[in-house]
Amino acid sequence: MKRASLAAFMAAFLIFAGALEVSAADKLSLSGIGTMDVPKNITFTEGAQNALPFMKDGGTKRFFIRKGMSDSRYYTMTWKKGPDFSYGWAMSHEAGIPFLQDIGEFKHKDDKPEAQMDIMAAWLNRQLTQQGAVFEGPSPLQKINDSRHPRWEGFVKVKTTEQGITYNEAYTIILQCDGYFTTLGIFNTDGDRADITEDVRKMVSKRKFPKKVTLLDLSKKGTSLTEWD
């Protein structure tokens, strides 16, 4: 099913009005998530997209920063083939103690990093279920048994309505811990375009994981939240 005319207008505005400079990079790298080979006909351009479901919250980036997340990386996705012009986005955010505080789990601030990740995953699962997300298995996000790269992964579809128009959004979601920090990664695609969505899911599943964080890395890392603007 094709996107409504409003979605087509937004895609055209983002690309042809010069809001973002398109570059055909072969690789997509998200901090804390990994590096991926971008499928043919798909383009990821650095910058946050004005995603419709997050407009009432001031945009995608501001929504997650208000949740206490930091150290973000955002990309807008476009797809250059087919009868319509589909689009999506990808992002990663570090989810630490400020996020635990926002979700009412500050008592876990001294827990081990992987235990904190599990708390965050449980909260996300509750939120997605309450929003009516459609998923397979016992929960939206499921824990992956990988001692080298501890993480939760999931795929959901969520229907949202804006200005009387219903959108079928697909989300590949990852919570990943590097031994010290947990990162939330999200890949959004048009839920009505199964071909594009599957290409992105395969891209994510074949990613090269980032290296483990070391004490030297920690000594170079800032701790203050500076992304409010």
Side-chain angles (χ1 to χ4, degrees):
M1 182 172 60
K2 294 184 179 180
R3 286 279 180 125
S5 58
L6 177 60
F9 170 80
M10 284 192 61
F13 176 81
L14 283 170
I15 294 159
F16 299 111
L20 295 170
E21 181 181 354
V22 175
S23 60
D26 295 329
K27 302 285 186 180
L28 172 67
S29 182
L30 283 180
S31 302
I33 299 298
T35 302
M36 291 144 274
D37 293 321
V38 178
K40 293 180 180 180
N41 297 313
I42 289 180
T43 299
F44 285 95
T45 305
E46 193 160 4
Q49 186 192 93
N50 294 322
L52 285 173
F54 295 89
M55 280 188 169
K56 61 181 179 298
D57 299 301
T60 313
K61 186 173 183 178
R62 191 162 184 82
F63 171 84
F64 287 106
I65 289 175
R66 284 185 175 276
K67 285 290 181 186
M69 297 188 185
S70 60
D71 194 20
S72 65
R73 196 76 182 267
Y74 276 84
Y75 290 90
T76 290
M77 187 197 85
T78 54
W79 191 74
K80 297 181 177 180
K81 183 179 179 182
D84 60 357
F85 205 107
S86 295
Y87 63 95
W89 50 271
M91 74 79 166
S92 66
H93 265 289
E94 186 179 299
I97 292 176
F99 179 58
L100 287 175
Q101 183 173 10
D102 184 85
I103 65 176
E105 298 289 356
F106 187 69
K107 60 182 178 290
H108 294 285
K109 65 181 180 65
D110 295 323
D111 290 2
K112 292 181 179 180
E114 289 185 32
Q116 291 180 351
M117 176 182 65
D118 293 346
I119 295 296
M120 296 173 188
W123 181 85
L124 283 169
N125 277 336
R126 289 194 297 271
Q127 295 299 309
L128 290 166
T129 301
Q130 291 171 8
Q131 292 173 19
V134 177
F135 54 91
E136 295 181 355
S139 60
L141 295 179
Q142 299 181 45
K143 194 167 187 177
I144 306 299
N145 292 321
D146 184 347
S147 59
R148 294 183 60 192
H149 305 290
R151 64 193 187 276
W152 291 70
E153 295 186 356
F155 173 74
V156 304
K157 288 188 176 181
V158 180
K159 288 187 177 181
T160 60
T161 301
E162 294 289 337
Q163 301 181 19
I165 303 173
T166 299
Y167 299 89
N168 187 20
E169 304 288 338
Y171 296 93
T172 298
I173 305 172
I174 298 167
L175 266 180
Q176 190 165 301
C177 184
D178 61 12
Y180 290 94
F181 303 103
T182 293
T183 299
L184 172 66
I186 298 178
F187 301 80
N188 166 261
T189 53
D190 181 348
D192 292 323
R193 293 303 304 261
D195 50 351
I196 305 172
T197 298
E198 184 60 23
D199 283 347
V200 171
R201 292 184 69 184
K202 287 180 179 179
M203 176 191 77
V204 176
S205 69
K206 296 179 180 179
R207 69 188 181 279
K208 180 180 179 181
F209 289 92
K211 294 180 179 179
K212 289 279 188 178
V213 170
T214 66
L215 290 176
L216 179 60
D217 295 327
L218 290 177
S219 69
K220 296 178 180 178
K221 188 175 181 64
T223 57
S224 61
L225 295 178
T226 59
E227 299 183 80
W228 282 95
D229 296 329

